[in-house]
Structure formats: structure tokens, C-alpha cells
Amino acid sequence: MLKPALQFLKRRWWIPVGIVVIGGITALSMQEHPLEAEVATVGIGPVEQFLLEEGKTRLDQEYTLTLPVAGDMPRLKLEVGDWVQQGQAIVTLRRFDRTQQLAGLKAQVQEIAARQQGVVTQIPTPEEEQMAQGRIREAQNQLAQMHQQASAQQLELQQRERTLERQQRLYADQTIPQAEYEETAKQVAVLRKQVTQAQLQITQGQQGVRNAQLALAKLQRNRRDQQYLKGVYQAQAQQLASQIALKQDELQQGVLRAPISGPVLEVITSQAGPQAAGTPILKLGDPHSLSVEADFLSEEIPQVKTGMPAEISGKALGDKKVMGQVSRIYPSGFTKISALGVEQQRVKILVRLQALDLRPGTRVDVRVITAAKAKTVRIPERALFKQDGQWQVFKVNASERAELQPVTLGLKNENWAEITQGLTAGDRLITQLENTLKPGALIQTKTQASTKDK
């Protein structure tokens, strides 16, 4: 019996060995394994707080070119996207009719000038009027002499008539001879005849004065009439000059020129044919007035102020980023349906740029920087999580173990967060949060990073 038992034990040598192995495995399993994690050192650097939306470029200055005058327009050869230079002729109206009208007006001006010259030659000269006035004075002087002579003759006649009456009584008394009486009577008859002739001469002299005065009045009336005609012709000449200036202006305006250098945004009228004044032809854009418009959520708009810096980026710019400023915030919002079908209230803003070589309507990313600090304590945003309403991070202590650290945030964006309380520069924290990460866990640094400003 003993011998079989020993044989059995020899065949079971592995049992104690197994017990020892199991015990070792159990001891090993009870040892703590460190957790590999990404660890970053808290540093000092810039943090910006911003709002990000998609926007598109547009031109603030657009010019709609219209025909200033009516005319026959040829077919427009420009197309949307063509680039025109400032002063370039866009449309040249056909000019034959206006050219002929202008020639006719100029011929009328020459005719009026000839008539004016004829009127000028018929206007009495000052010398002619002076001569007429001299003839009036001469006739008046002659008339005055006639009056003096007639007065003298009348006075002499009266004296002779009194003498005749006295001699008639003396002759009747036979005091004087008959011959003396008859001589006196003869003298009275002669004087009476002379007085009658003097009165006739006075009448003729008065008519001469009137004739001289009428001649002067005729000259003056002729001068006034000719001056009136001259004024009429001058008015006609001024009217023709205005019409000529108008036609010349129409000829100049018949060439529609580009007010700026820029692209053709829209062709409104391109067909040939008669067009009325004011007909819109095309629309030009000023490339120097390029800005970006973007729609932001209405609840975010209170953070945005005019003058805030804005960064423009996107595929159209490649790796380039262009800085601008918020130039306008529209006063009212509008309803917009998002890509997910959610109804949103949005407000449009404009960003003014210094220089941006893009076409209108290009999609870009608009990042409005609402706040910024150049040097502050910052950590990667991915290291943050909330627990019981409090922002927390996992800090690596001196024992290389993870411990919860409450923090107070300042500025924050999708990459960085400002820490105002809870951490200082040089602290280490875990930036790769795993579900297995628990307070007190032993940490083995997998990668080492820094949050310092580089």
C-alpha cells in the first residue's frame, strides 16, 4: 500500500508548484498600475474670446449705369465678370441726328448774327441825333426872330394907324393937304400887309420847329425800335446758344463711361435699338469697397460692438488670414432656418477690410474677437470638465497622482481657457480625459506639453 501511495505523490508534484504560481499571480494582481496620460504644464499666453460664423464677401459700393440721354444704342459687348477701367466707354450712342441738329442750330446763329449787324447799321448815331437837335434849335431861333420882327411891325402899324386917324380929322378940316393924308394911308396899308406876311412866316416857323422836333422823335423812335430788334436778336442768339450747349452736352453724354475700375456685376440692357433716357444698362462694383457680411445669433449680438477686430479666413484664402473691423450691426434681426431645420433669430453684421483679393459672394469664415488678453494664465480647453456645476481639471500632484482641482474661468474659446483662480503657471494637469481616470490615480506621463506663449 505504501508504495502505490508514493507513486501517486510523485505523479502529483505539480500541485505545490501550482499553488506557488497562483499565489504569485494573486500578489501581482493586487499591485497598482499607473495610467498613461497626456500632461501639460500651465503657462502664460494670449487668450481670445470670439464668435465664429460663416460669411460671404460683398461690395458696399455698387454703381448702376443709366443712359443720361435718349438715343439709338448699339449692342452691348460686355458680360458679367468683365473688368472695366475708369473712364472706359461703355456705350456710345449713335450721333448722326444730334450732329445734324447741332449744325442747324449753328447756321441759325450765323443768320441771327447777320440780322444783328443789319440792325446795328440802322441805329441812328449820336451825331445824327445831335444834328437833329441842332436843327430844332435853329428853327426855334428863327421863330423867335420872326416874333420879334412881327412885334416891331405890329407896333409900327399901330402908330401909323393912330397917325392916319389924326390926319383924317385934319384932312376933313382941310388943315393938311390931301397928298399927305394919302401918303400916310398908303404906309398903313403897306404895314398891314407886312404884319400879315409876318404872321404867315411865324406860322411857317412854328411848323419848321415841329418838323425838326418830329425828325428828332423819328430818329429816337428808330433807335428804340432798332435797339428792341437788337435785343430780340440777342435773346434769340442766347436761346440758340443754350440749345447748342444742350446738344453738345447730349453729344458728350452720348458716351457712357465707367465711373470706377471694377467688375461688371450685372448686365441689365444689352440689346441694340432706341433707348429712353434713364434706361439702366449695367451694374459695376467698386473692388475697394469689399466687405464681409455674416449672420450671428441674436443672443450673441450683445457681445459684438462696432470697431471690434474680426479675422477672416477660409478655403478661398488658403493659409492666409485677413484682419478687419466690425463696421456695422444691423438694427433688426430676421428668422433663418439652419441646416438642421432649426428656426433661429439672427442679426447681420458687416466687417470692413483693408484689402482682400476675393470676388463678391465668396464664402469665408468670420471670427469676431469680442475680448482678448495678451498675457494670462491659460490651459487647453480640452482639459476642462464640469462637475456639480463647477469647472474642474485633473491636476497632477507631486506624488504623480491625479487630483480634482476646481478652477474659475475668464476668457474662453475652442482652444484655450483663461484661469483666474485655481491654477498657477508651472502646475501640471491632464489634458486627455479618459473614462478610467479617477481622483488618486497614479499617472504616467505619456506626452509632455506646455501652454506657454511661444
Side-chain angles (χ1 to χ4, degrees):
M1 291 295 293
L2 183 57
K3 187 176 181 180
L6 292 173
Q7 291 177 350
F8 174 79
L9 289 174
K10 289 179 180 179
R11 288 197 297 266
R12 297 292 187 269
W13 61 268
W14 52 269
I15 293 176
V17 175
I19 293 172
V20 172
V21 172
I22 291 172
I25 292 174
T26 302
L28 290 174
S29 64
M30 294 180 66
Q31 290 181 355
E32 182 179 8
H33 294 280
L35 179 65
E36 289 188 352
E38 181 184 281
V39 177
T41 302
V42 178
I44 304 296
V47 178
E48 295 177 343
Q49 188 167 286
F50 57 84
L51 300 174
L52 180 63
E53 288 289 348
E54 187 181 67
K56 65 177 180 180
T57 57
R58 60 170 248 185
L59 294 177
D60 288 341
Q61 297 294 332
E62 296 181 354
Y63 298 82
T64 299
L65 274 61
T66 60
L67 289 179
V69 294
D72 190 8
M73 189 182 90
R75 181 176 178 81
L76 187 67
K77 298 180 180 180
L78 293 173
E79 297 180 353
V80 174
D82 289 347
W83 190 275
V84 299
Q85 298 295 330
Q86 184 177 12
Q88 177 181 338
I90 304 300
V91 173
T92 301
L93 298 177
R94 295 183 176 92
R95 306 183 180 185
F96 178 77
D97 54 345
R98 284 189 172 86
T99 303
Q100 294 303 310
Q101 292 172 5
L102 184 60
L105 291 173
K106 289 181 177 179
Q108 292 182 39
V109 168
Q110 293 177 351
E111 180 182 355
I112 293 297
R115 291 182 179 180
Q116 283 182 311
Q117 185 62 33
V119 166
V120 170
T121 58
Q122 295 179 15
I123 295 177
T125 63
E127 291 78 8
E128 290 176 333
E129 291 190 9
Q130 290 176 1
M131 291 176 63
Q133 291 173 350
R135 284 192 289 269
I136 291 175
R137 289 192 296 271
E138 183 180 356
Q140 290 174 339
N141 291 334
Q142 290 177 356
L143 180 61
Q145 292 176 1
M146 289 176 185
H147 278 292
Q148 290 177 357
Q149 185 178 0
S151 296
Q153 290 175 347
Q154 184 66 36
L155 182 60
E156 185 179 0
L157 175 61
Q158 291 174 356
Q159 291 176 352
R160 288 293 181 181
E161 286 178 342
R162 285 194 297 270
T163 301
L164 181 61
E165 289 177 359
R166 186 173 62 254
Q167 287 182 353
Q168 187 177 6
R169 288 192 301 270
L170 293 174
Y171 176 71
D173 294 339
Q174 296 182 354
T175 304
I176 61 173
Q178 181 180 358
E180 184 178 351
Y181 169 74
E182 289 178 351
E183 180 64 25
T184 301
K186 183 178 179 181
Q187 291 177 356
V188 168
V190 171
L191 287 173
R192 285 176 177 171
K193 185 176 181 181
Q194 289 177 350
V195 168
T196 301
Q197 290 177 348
Q199 290 297 327
L200 290 175
Q201 289 177 352
I202 288 174
T203 302
Q204 291 176 354
Q206 291 174 341
Q207 185 62 43
V209 171
R210 286 195 293 271
N211 290 339
Q213 291 174 340
L214 289 174
L216 177 61
K218 183 177 180 181
L219 284 175
Q220 292 175 340
R221 185 171 58 253
N222 186 30
R223 178 174 54 79
R224 289 193 298 269
D225 291 345
Q226 298 304 321
Q227 290 287 3
Y228 171 77
L229 284 176
K230 182 180 178 182
V232 170
Y233 291 144
Q234 286 178 344
Q236 291 177 351
Q238 291 175 355
Q239 184 179 11
L240 288 172
S242 299
Q243 294 179 5
I244 288 173
L246 180 62
K247 291 299 178 184
Q248 289 175 336
D249 184 63
E250 288 180 354
L251 281 172
Q252 291 178 354
Q253 294 190 49
V255 181
L256 184 61
R257 299 186 181 277
I260 58 168
S261 297
V264 176
L265 303 180
E266 180 183 358
V267 175
I268 304 172
T269 303
S270 61
Q271 298 299 323
Q275 301 292 346
T279 301
I281 304 301
L282 52 76
K283 185 181 292 185
L284 294 179
D286 184 358
H288 300 293
S289 69
L290 192 71
S291 63
V292 175
E293 63 178 19
D295 305 332
F296 283 78
L297 293 172
S298 57
E299 56 265 29
E300 295 176 340
I301 283 298
Q303 304 177 49
V304 183
K305 308 295 180 184
T306 56
M308 281 184 171
E311 183 184 84
I312 307 302
S313 60
K315 293 182 179 179
L317 291 169
D319 297 333
K320 183 180 177 182
K321 293 181 180 180
V322 178
M323 294 303 298
Q325 283 187 336
V326 177
S327 61
R328 183 181 179 188
I329 303 173
Y330 281 69
S332 60
F334 60 94
T335 302
K336 182 178 181 180
I337 306 300
S338 69
L340 299 177
V342 179
E343 188 177 278
Q344 298 174 334
Q345 275 302 112
R346 289 185 170 267
V347 176
K348 190 182 298 295
I349 72 166
L350 289 183
V351 176
R352 176 73 66 186
L353 304 168
Q354 294 295 331
L356 187 60
D357 187 17
L358 291 178
R359 290 183 175 272
T362 303
R363 293 289 177 181
V364 292
D365 293 326
V366 181
R367 191 177 72 153
V368 177
I369 302 171
T370 58
K373 291 185 179 179
K375 290 186 179 298
T376 187
V377 177
R378 68 175 185 176
I379 66 171
E381 191 275 339
R382 63 181 182 275
L384 290 168
F385 64 95
K386 262 191 175 182
Q387 182 173 306
D388 299 328
Q390 171 70 47
W391 286 106
Q392 307 269 359
V393 296
F394 273 111
K395 182 178 177 182
V396 180
N397 61 22
S399 301
E400 300 296 321
R401 292 187 179 274
E403 65 177 45
L404 280 176
Q405 176 63 51
V407 293
T408 302
L409 302 186
L411 303 182
K412 179 177 175 293
N413 59 44
E414 61 185 9
N415 296 319
W416 299 100
E418 178 193 10
I419 304 300
T420 59
Q421 289 182 0
L423 293 173
T424 59
D427 290 341
R428 296 187 301 155
L429 69 157
I430 299 172
T431 58
Q432 183 181 6
L433 301 178
E434 302 288 347
N435 293 331
T436 57
L437 183 60
K438 303 294 181 184
L442 183 63
I443 302 301
Q444 180 180 347
T445 302
K446 181 171 61 174
T447 55
Q448 183 76 25
S450 176
T451 64
K452 293 181 180 179
D453 187 10
K454 298 180 179 179

